[in-house]
Amino acid sequence: MQPIVAKFGGSSLADAGQFRKVRDIVLANAGRRYLVASAPGRRDSADQKVTDLLYRCHDLAAAGQDFSDPFNQIRERFAEIIRDLGLTFDLDGALSQIAQKLKSAPERDYAASRGEYLNARLLAAYLGYDFLDAADAVRFTPDGRFLAEETNARLSDALSRVERAVIPGFYGADAAGTIHTFSRGGSDVTGALAARAAGARLYENWTDVSGMLFTDPRIVPDPGTIRHITYRELRELSYMGASVLHEDAVFPVRAAGIPINIRNTNRPDDPGTMISHDLPAAEAQRVVTGVAGRKGFAAVQVELSLMNNEVGFGARLLNILAAHGVPFEHCPTGIDTISVVVDAESFNACRSAVLRQIELQLHPDHLSVEEGLAMIAVVGHGMGGAKGVAARVFSAVADAGVNIRMIDQGSSELNIIIGVDEADYENAVRGICRALG
Ligand code: ADP
Ligand code: ASP
Ligand code: MG
């Protein structure tokens, strides 16, 4: 029987009580042979994630300052889990090694990875599973690029040698053993890699909500769970800000056709969300699947009379951004205008150089930057065939008293994307959900 890979997120492993829930879940299905663990997350809204504490230790250490305050908080988090569960584990030995390394040669990714490393070791000890260090199987280049095929080969080999194992999420290493991490929330990616490498029949992603919700529950209370969703819809929603699953966690399992099931550790009987290539017939008619969004965008707006006659104008504009390492997110165009929506943080890091190059190379009639944009994506396979969805979205936003600053329809007809002022973001999402949810 093919195994199940189960990834448990930070809140699912935040304290001993959560570890007990995880054990019950694991024992309930013998197929749950490979587990991926996150670092302890928040126990309540006032709490701190161990990963955040580790980043703070690193930053203090790198500045040559005393990091004992966050370090002792980390010690206490793990000590409590060990004590409450009655585990035998040399925490002081493990922590003094980490502290030593932080003092002698502080490395940011190494520091951040230790939350997953320690938590996975504790979970393995608690369940009697083997511990399989991601540093030995998840491969990066020395400059931090993830190596998918080499990882798959190494991870498949390592997993084939163990019947049951816990793997720490979020990190791997290069050939010299230097640790590299994925971006934040990256344990979801490790889970997907393990599912592919193990030839799993299912990738379970256990978290603190009962699946993918129609929208962010921090903006709209009880938005309703999406029972089934396709990989493509999920990718759109997670890329645009539905942070329940890391946006890169879809690829490894999609290629292998392994379904993902997002589940709630605190309500294990809820069926959660199933993610696969196709929807069951009963849901195939659905028009809008979900709404997601993010703040932190800017739009570079370029105007030039007869731009339409200048072959390659858009390409040259995008090349200028690319040359400065700024990826573009959306690019709505008119006859004599083109806007490029970019991540504000990466754009601001090289803003004046980019604007200078645009002036020099493209000689626009007008060049401006719109700041403080939030982008909202309304996503659903059914939108391609349904009439009037865009009109309903736009009037919902207008009814919420919000001005739309940009519109872009993805070429797949899978989404409609609108840009609004950051200050209007929550209101616009609420308005859209009232009209379409
Ligand atoms: P974990 O620690 O288990 O990886 P995360 O905090 O990364 O969990 O993701 C779960 C959280 O994602 C939820 O608690 C919720 O606040 C947030 N979230 C944002 N958008 C959505 C959405 N559309 N559906 C579900 N959860 C969402
Ligand atoms: N612990 C890491 C983070 O907080 C990775 C994860 O939880 O997936 O981002
Ligand atoms: Mg997460």
mmCIF file of all heavy atoms in Angstrom, residues 90-125:
data_model
loop_
_atom_site.group_PDB
_atom_site.id
_atom_site.type_symbol
_atom_site.label_atom_id
_atom_site.label_comp_id
_atom_site.label_asym_id
_atom_site.label_seq_id
_atom_site.Cartn_x
_atom_site.Cartn_y
_atom_site.Cartn_z
ATOM 1 N N ASP A 90 18.450 15.105 25.118
ATOM 2 C CA ASP A 90 19.499 15.995 25.623
ATOM 3 C C ASP A 90 19.340 17.390 25.000
ATOM 4 O O ASP A 90 20.062 17.749 24.069
ATOM 5 C CB ASP A 90 20.881 15.402 25.294
ATOM 6 C CG ASP A 90 22.005 16.318 25.762
ATOM 7 O OD1 ASP A 90 21.749 17.241 26.580
ATOM 8 O OD2 ASP A 90 23.150 16.123 25.298
ATOM 9 N N LEU A 91 18.403 18.157 25.548
ATOM 10 C CA LEU A 91 18.121 19.481 24.987
ATOM 11 C C LEU A 91 19.310 20.425 25.181
ATOM 12 O O LEU A 91 19.690 21.164 24.260
ATOM 13 C CB LEU A 91 16.859 20.072 25.635
ATOM 14 C CG LEU A 91 16.438 21.447 25.105
ATOM 15 C CD1 LEU A 91 16.051 21.390 23.632
ATOM 16 C CD2 LEU A 91 15.269 22.019 25.920
ATOM 17 N N ASP A 92 19.906 20.367 26.382
ATOM 18 C CA ASP A 92 21.026 21.288 26.632
ATOM 19 C C ASP A 92 22.171 21.042 25.662
ATOM 20 O O ASP A 92 22.777 21.988 25.160
ATOM 21 C CB ASP A 92 21.507 21.159 28.077
ATOM 22 C CG ASP A 92 20.518 21.815 29.028
ATOM 23 O OD1 ASP A 92 19.767 22.702 28.555
ATOM 24 O OD2 ASP A 92 20.465 21.427 30.206
ATOM 25 N N GLY A 93 22.438 19.759 25.402
ATOM 26 C CA GLY A 93 23.516 19.426 24.455
ATOM 27 C C GLY A 93 23.209 20.005 23.074
ATOM 28 O O GLY A 93 24.056 20.654 22.450
ATOM 29 N N ALA A 94 21.971 19.790 22.615
ATOM 30 C CA ALA A 94 21.595 20.263 21.270
ATOM 31 C C ALA A 94 21.631 21.789 21.214
ATOM 32 O O ALA A 94 22.132 22.374 20.239
ATOM 33 C CB ALA A 94 20.197 19.745 20.928
ATOM 34 N N LEU A 95 21.129 22.432 22.263
ATOM 35 C CA LEU A 95 21.083 23.908 22.243
ATOM 36 C C LEU A 95 22.473 24.524 22.356
ATOM 37 O O LEU A 95 22.740 25.567 21.763
ATOM 38 C CB LEU A 95 20.180 24.427 23.365
ATOM 39 C CG LEU A 95 18.673 24.247 23.142
ATOM 40 C CD1 LEU A 95 17.884 24.728 24.346
ATOM 41 C CD2 LEU A 95 18.201 24.996 21.890
ATOM 42 N N SER A 96 23.357 23.875 23.105
ATOM 43 C CA SER A 96 24.675 24.522 23.247
ATOM 44 C C SER A 96 25.442 24.452 21.921
ATOM 45 O O SER A 96 26.195 25.372 21.581
ATOM 46 C CB SER A 96 25.474 23.961 24.421
ATOM 47 O OG SER A 96 25.822 22.649 24.155
ATOM 48 N N GLN A 97 25.200 23.385 21.148
ATOM 49 C CA GLN A 97 25.805 23.326 19.808
ATOM 50 C C GLN A 97 25.314 24.488 18.923
ATOM 51 O O GLN A 97 26.090 25.128 18.217
ATOM 52 C CB GLN A 97 25.359 22.033 19.134
ATOM 53 C CG GLN A 97 26.492 21.113 18.800
ATOM 54 C CD GLN A 97 25.950 19.854 18.120
ATOM 55 O OE1 GLN A 97 24.904 19.861 17.480
ATOM 56 N NE2 GLN A 97 26.695 18.780 18.267
ATOM 57 N N ILE A 98 24.002 24.739 18.999
ATOM 58 C CA ILE A 98 23.415 25.809 18.187
ATOM 59 C C ILE A 98 23.961 27.173 18.637
ATOM 60 O O ILE A 98 24.360 28.008 17.819
ATOM 61 C CB ILE A 98 21.869 25.769 18.284
ATOM 62 C CG1 ILE A 98 21.341 24.456 17.695
ATOM 63 C CG2 ILE A 98 21.237 26.968 17.576
ATOM 64 C CD1 ILE A 98 19.868 24.171 17.951
ATOM 65 N N ALA A 99 24.012 27.374 19.960
ATOM 66 C CA ALA A 99 24.497 28.657 20.495
ATOM 67 C C ALA A 99 25.944 28.890 20.088
ATOM 68 O O ALA A 99 26.341 29.997 19.710
ATOM 69 C CB ALA A 99 24.363 28.679 22.010
ATOM 70 N N GLN A 100 26.721 27.799 20.129
ATOM 71 C CA GLN A 100 28.139 27.884 19.748
ATOM 72 C C GLN A 100 28.276 28.380 18.314
ATOM 73 O O GLN A 100 29.056 29.269 18.004
ATOM 74 C CB GLN A 100 28.737 26.459 19.868
ATOM 75 C CG GLN A 100 30.189 26.430 20.243
ATOM 76 C CD GLN A 100 30.460 27.361 21.423
ATOM 77 O OE1 GLN A 100 29.783 27.325 22.410
ATOM 78 N NE2 GLN A 100 31.442 28.244 21.277
ATOM 79 N N LYS A 101 27.484 27.765 17.447
ATOM 80 C CA LYS A 101 27.554 28.123 16.030
ATOM 81 C C LYS A 101 27.080 29.564 15.803
ATOM 82 O O LYS A 101 27.651 30.294 14.986
ATOM 83 C CB LYS A 101 26.704 27.121 15.229
ATOM 84 C CG LYS A 101 26.756 27.341 13.770
ATOM 85 C CD LYS A 101 27.040 26.097 12.968
ATOM 86 C CE LYS A 101 27.303 26.559 11.559
ATOM 87 N NZ LYS A 101 26.922 25.931 10.473
ATOM 88 N N LEU A 102 26.044 29.952 16.526
ATOM 89 C CA LEU A 102 25.549 31.332 16.392
ATOM 90 C C LEU A 102 26.624 32.334 16.796
ATOM 91 O O LEU A 102 26.767 33.391 16.193
ATOM 92 C CB LEU A 102 24.315 31.538 17.272
ATOM 93 C CG LEU A 102 22.979 31.106 16.675
ATOM 94 C CD1 LEU A 102 21.875 31.119 17.721
ATOM 95 C CD2 LEU A 102 22.595 32.025 15.520
ATOM 96 N N LYS A 103 27.396 31.974 17.824
ATOM 97 C CA LYS A 103 28.443 32.897 18.301
ATOM 98 C C LYS A 103 29.630 32.940 17.351
ATOM 99 O O LYS A 103 30.158 34.007 17.036
ATOM 100 C CB LYS A 103 28.938 32.453 19.683
ATOM 101 C CG LYS A 103 28.035 32.933 20.798
ATOM 102 C CD LYS A 103 28.589 32.545 22.159
ATOM 103 C CE LYS A 103 27.485 32.638 23.197
ATOM 104 N NZ LYS A 103 27.511 31.570 24.177
ATOM 105 N N SER A 104 30.042 31.753 16.865
ATOM 106 C CA SER A 104 31.287 31.735 16.088
ATOM 107 C C SER A 104 31.071 32.166 14.636
ATOM 108 O O SER A 104 31.873 32.916 14.090
ATOM 109 C CB SER A 104 31.940 30.355 16.159
ATOM 110 O OG SER A 104 31.035 29.397 15.672
ATOM 111 N N ALA A 105 29.986 31.686 14.002
ATOM 112 C CA ALA A 105 29.763 32.042 12.593
ATOM 113 C C ALA A 105 28.262 32.067 12.331
ATOM 114 O O ALA A 105 27.694 31.096 11.822
ATOM 115 C CB ALA A 105 30.433 31.007 11.681
ATOM 116 N N PRO A 106 27.579 33.143 12.713
ATOM 117 C CA PRO A 106 26.115 33.159 12.577
ATOM 118 C C PRO A 106 25.657 33.077 11.129
ATOM 119 O O PRO A 106 26.083 33.878 10.299
ATOM 120 C CB PRO A 106 25.701 34.502 13.207
ATOM 121 C CG PRO A 106 26.945 35.302 13.345
ATOM 122 C CD PRO A 106 28.121 34.387 13.270
ATOM 123 N N GLU A 107 24.871 32.047 10.823
ATOM 124 C CA GLU A 107 24.289 31.900 9.477
ATOM 125 C C GLU A 107 22.784 31.941 9.640
ATOM 126 O O GLU A 107 22.212 31.162 10.395
ATOM 127 C CB GLU A 107 24.679 30.542 8.868
ATOM 128 C CG GLU A 107 26.091 30.472 8.374
ATOM 129 C CD GLU A 107 26.478 29.036 8.017
ATOM 130 O OE1 GLU A 107 25.578 28.198 7.816
ATOM 131 O OE2 GLU A 107 27.683 28.773 7.972
ATOM 132 N N ARG A 108 22.148 32.816 8.872
ATOM 133 C CA ARG A 108 20.714 33.064 9.040
ATOM 134 C C ARG A 108 19.863 31.810 8.787
ATOM 135 O O ARG A 108 18.999 31.472 9.582
ATOM 136 C CB ARG A 108 20.327 34.185 8.067
ATOM 137 C CG ARG A 108 19.006 34.791 8.320
ATOM 138 C CD ARG A 108 18.801 36.018 7.435
ATOM 139 N NE ARG A 108 17.388 36.232 7.208
ATOM 140 C CZ ARG A 108 16.561 36.789 8.079
ATOM 141 N NH1 ARG A 108 17.002 37.212 9.235
ATOM 142 N NH2 ARG A 108 15.286 36.920 7.791
ATOM 143 N N ASP A 109 20.120 31.128 7.688
ATOM 144 C CA ASP A 109 19.290 29.966 7.357
ATOM 145 C C ASP A 109 19.528 28.827 8.350
ATOM 146 O O ASP A 109 18.594 28.118 8.736
ATOM 147 C CB ASP A 109 19.575 29.481 5.923
ATOM 148 C CG ASP A 109 18.917 30.395 4.886
ATOM 149 O OD1 ASP A 109 18.322 31.419 5.284
ATOM 150 O OD2 ASP A 109 19.013 30.091 3.684
ATOM 151 N N TYR A 110 20.772 28.667 8.736
ATOM 152 C CA TYR A 110 21.058 27.631 9.744
ATOM 153 C C TYR A 110 20.252 27.914 11.006
ATOM 154 O O TYR A 110 19.572 27.038 11.545
ATOM 155 C CB TYR A 110 22.558 27.585 10.061
ATOM 156 C CG TYR A 110 22.853 26.750 11.285
ATOM 157 C CD1 TYR A 110 22.908 25.360 11.198
ATOM 158 C CD2 TYR A 110 23.025 27.348 12.537
ATOM 159 C CE1 TYR A 110 23.127 24.590 12.331
ATOM 160 C CE2 TYR A 110 23.244 26.590 13.672
ATOM 161 C CZ TYR A 110 23.298 25.217 13.567
ATOM 162 O OH TYR A 110 23.502 24.455 14.692
ATOM 163 N N ALA A 111 20.331 29.145 11.489
ATOM 164 C CA ALA A 111 19.617 29.511 12.726
ATOM 165 C C ALA A 111 18.129 29.213 12.569
ATOM 166 O O ALA A 111 17.523 28.537 13.408
ATOM 167 C CB ALA A 111 19.836 30.986 13.030
ATOM 168 N N ALA A 112 17.538 29.673 11.464
ATOM 169 C CA ALA A 112 16.088 29.522 11.270
ATOM 170 C C ALA A 112 15.673 28.057 11.229
ATOM 171 O O ALA A 112 14.587 27.697 11.678
ATOM 172 C CB ALA A 112 15.673 30.211 9.980
ATOM 173 N N SER A 113 16.551 27.210 10.708
ATOM 174 C CA SER A 113 16.192 25.800 10.501
ATOM 175 C C SER A 113 16.128 24.992 11.795
ATOM 176 O O SER A 113 15.568 23.900 11.813
ATOM 177 C CB SER A 113 17.211 25.134 9.576
ATOM 178 O OG SER A 113 18.442 24.934 10.275
ATOM 179 N N ARG A 114 16.709 25.515 12.862
ATOM 180 C CA ARG A 114 16.837 24.681 14.069
ATOM 181 C C ARG A 114 15.508 24.411 14.771
ATOM 182 O O ARG A 114 15.392 23.470 15.555
ATOM 183 C CB ARG A 114 17.854 25.302 15.052
ATOM 184 C CG ARG A 114 19.307 25.345 14.557
ATOM 185 C CD ARG A 114 19.853 23.980 14.171
ATOM 186 N NE ARG A 114 19.602 23.623 12.782
ATOM 187 C CZ ARG A 114 19.922 22.436 12.247
ATOM 188 N NH1 ARG A 114 20.522 21.510 12.964
ATOM 189 N NH2 ARG A 114 19.643 22.182 10.986
ATOM 190 N N GLY A 115 14.498 25.223 14.506
ATOM 191 C CA GLY A 115 13.184 24.968 15.101
ATOM 192 C C GLY A 115 12.586 23.689 14.536
ATOM 193 O O GLY A 115 12.081 22.828 15.271
ATOM 194 N N GLU A 116 12.666 23.530 13.224
ATOM 195 C CA GLU A 116 12.169 22.318 12.567
ATOM 196 C C GLU A 116 13.020 21.112 12.991
ATOM 197 O O GLU A 116 12.505 20.036 13.271
ATOM 198 C CB GLU A 116 12.211 22.478 11.043
ATOM 199 C CG GLU A 116 10.941 23.021 10.410
ATOM 200 C CD GLU A 116 10.652 24.487 10.705
ATOM 201 O OE1 GLU A 116 11.568 25.177 11.200
ATOM 202 O OE2 GLU A 116 9.525 24.938 10.461
ATOM 203 N N TYR A 117 14.347 21.337 13.012
ATOM 204 C CA TYR A 117 15.257 20.233 13.346
ATOM 205 C C TYR A 117 14.904 19.660 14.730
ATOM 206 O O TYR A 117 14.693 18.450 14.885
ATOM 207 C CB TYR A 117 16.709 20.753 13.318
ATOM 208 C CG TYR A 117 17.711 19.782 13.876
ATOM 209 C CD1 TYR A 117 18.150 18.698 13.117
ATOM 210 C CD2 TYR A 117 18.210 19.934 15.169
ATOM 211 C CE1 TYR A 117 19.058 17.787 13.640
ATOM 212 C CE2 TYR A 117 19.121 19.031 15.696
ATOM 213 C CZ TYR A 117 19.539 17.954 14.930
ATOM 214 O OH TYR A 117 20.428 17.049 15.452
ATOM 215 N N LEU A 118 14.816 20.538 15.726
ATOM 216 C CA LEU A 118 14.561 20.049 17.091
ATOM 217 C C LEU A 118 13.159 19.473 17.225
ATOM 218 O O LEU A 118 12.954 18.429 17.839
ATOM 219 C CB LEU A 118 14.760 21.189 18.103
ATOM 220 C CG LEU A 118 16.212 21.618 18.316
ATOM 221 C CD1 LEU A 118 16.267 22.882 19.176
ATOM 222 C CD2 LEU A 118 17.012 20.496 18.988
ATOM 223 N N ASN A 119 12.171 20.142 16.631
ATOM 224 C CA ASN A 119 10.794 19.655 16.780
ATOM 225 C C ASN A 119 10.619 18.295 16.119
ATOM 226 O O ASN A 119 9.914 17.430 16.638
ATOM 227 C CB ASN A 119 9.815 20.673 16.183
ATOM 228 C CG ASN A 119 8.628 20.939 17.094
ATOM 229 O OD1 ASN A 119 8.728 20.715 18.304
ATOM 230 N ND2 ASN A 119 7.527 21.398 16.536
ATOM 231 N N ALA A 120 11.264 18.104 14.967
ATOM 232 C CA ALA A 120 11.155 16.803 14.281
ATOM 233 C C ALA A 120 11.831 15.715 15.121
ATOM 234 O O ALA A 120 11.339 14.587 15.193
ATOM 235 C CB ALA A 120 11.788 16.886 12.890
ATOM 236 N N ARG A 121 12.939 16.059 15.749
ATOM 237 C CA ARG A 121 13.592 15.051 16.600
ATOM 238 C C ARG A 121 12.690 14.685 17.775
ATOM 239 O O ARG A 121 12.594 13.510 18.149
ATOM 240 C CB ARG A 121 14.941 15.573 17.084
ATOM 241 C CG ARG A 121 15.965 15.586 15.939
ATOM 242 C CD ARG A 121 17.379 15.702 16.415
ATOM 243 N NE ARG A 121 17.748 14.624 17.324
ATOM 244 C CZ ARG A 121 18.896 14.575 17.990
ATOM 245 N NH1 ARG A 121 19.786 15.541 17.824
ATOM 246 N NH2 ARG A 121 19.169 13.582 18.811
ATOM 247 N N LEU A 122 12.029 15.681 18.355
ATOM 248 C CA LEU A 122 11.129 15.388 19.484
ATOM 249 C C LEU A 122 9.936 14.547 19.028
ATOM 250 O O LEU A 122 9.547 13.595 19.697
ATOM 251 C CB LEU A 122 10.626 16.689 20.124
ATOM 252 C CG LEU A 122 11.682 17.574 20.767
ATOM 253 C CD1 LEU A 122 11.028 18.720 21.531
ATOM 254 C CD2 LEU A 122 12.578 16.771 21.705
ATOM 255 N N LEU A 123 9.370 14.895 17.874
ATOM 256 C CA LEU A 123 8.207 14.139 17.392
ATOM 257 C C LEU A 123 8.603 12.693 17.088
ATOM 258 O O LEU A 123 7.874 11.752 17.411
ATOM 259 C CB LEU A 123 7.618 14.813 16.141
ATOM 260 C CG LEU A 123 6.334 14.185 15.618
ATOM 261 C CD1 LEU A 123 5.193 14.274 16.647
ATOM 262 C CD2 LEU A 123 5.881 14.854 14.304
ATOM 263 N N ALA A 124 9.789 12.521 16.494
ATOM 264 C CA ALA A 124 10.266 11.160 16.198
ATOM 265 C C ALA A 124 10.428 10.371 17.499
ATOM 266 O O ALA A 124 9.987 9.211 17.599
ATOM 267 C CB ALA A 124 11.583 11.228 15.427
ATOM 268 N N ALA A 125 11.011 11.011 18.513
ATOM 269 C CA ALA A 125 11.213 10.325 19.788
ATOM 270 C C ALA A 125 9.865 9.973 20.416
ATOM 271 O O ALA A 125 9.667 8.874 20.945
ATOM 272 C CB ALA A 125 12.026 11.217 20.729
#
